Amino acid sequence: MMRWQTLDGPFCAICGIALVRDMTTKTLWQGWWSPISLILAAPFTLVSNWIAYHKLSQLQPAAPVFPGQRQLIPGKPVLHRPMAYVALIPLIWATVVITRLIISGA
Ligand SMILES: [Zn+2]
């Protein structure tokens, strides 16, 4: 039905942005498929991820902490990832339903 996934840091700016981008993309294509998710969970998660992204983007890029440890690759921005646009399907559906409710109620 619904699954929450959190990642506890601390993360450097590069690794954190990589994780936020991946998690946000997953939310955009997997996070809408129940009524509670559509109305509450996914929007809350997206705002939360946006706040995390904003905080991470303020940090200076850090060198790896341990020798041999590598940073994650940030990857493409979320809106450059095709899977992010799966979120348009439930958003269009919700818009149509709400519009019909408003029209039929008028
Ligand atoms: Zn890192």
Side-chain angles (χ1 to χ4, degrees):
M1 296 271 308
M2 194 165 75
R3 184 175 68 120
W4 286 96
Q5 188 175 8
T6 58
L7 299 173
D8 294 323
F11 300 109
C12 72
I14 293 171
C15 294
I17 286 173
L19 292 169
V20 166
R21 286 177 173 173
D22 285 346
M23 299 288 278
T24 301
T25 304
K26 282 182 183 173
T27 299
L28 286 169
W29 77 277
Q30 297 175 330
W32 301 96
W33 305 107
S34 78
I36 294 172
S37 297
L38 180 66
I39 295 169
L40 290 175
F44 173 81
T45 301
L46 292 173
V47 169
S48 174
N49 286 3
W50 182 82
I51 291 169
Y53 178 84
H54 183 73
K55 288 179 181 174
L56 288 162
S57 64
Q58 306 281 315
L59 297 175
Q60 296 293 319
V65 177
F66 301 108
Q69 189 178 26
R70 286 190 283 162
Q71 291 173 319
L72 298 175
I73 298 168
K76 295 179 183 176
V78 172
L79 295 181
H80 292 189
R81 299 173 186 214
M83 294 310 287
Y85 292 94
V86 172
L88 292 174
I89 296 168
L91 290 177
I92 290 169
W93 174 82
T95 303
V96 168
V97 168
I98 291 169
T99 303
R100 285 185 172 184
L101 289 172
I102 291 171
I103 290 171
S104 67

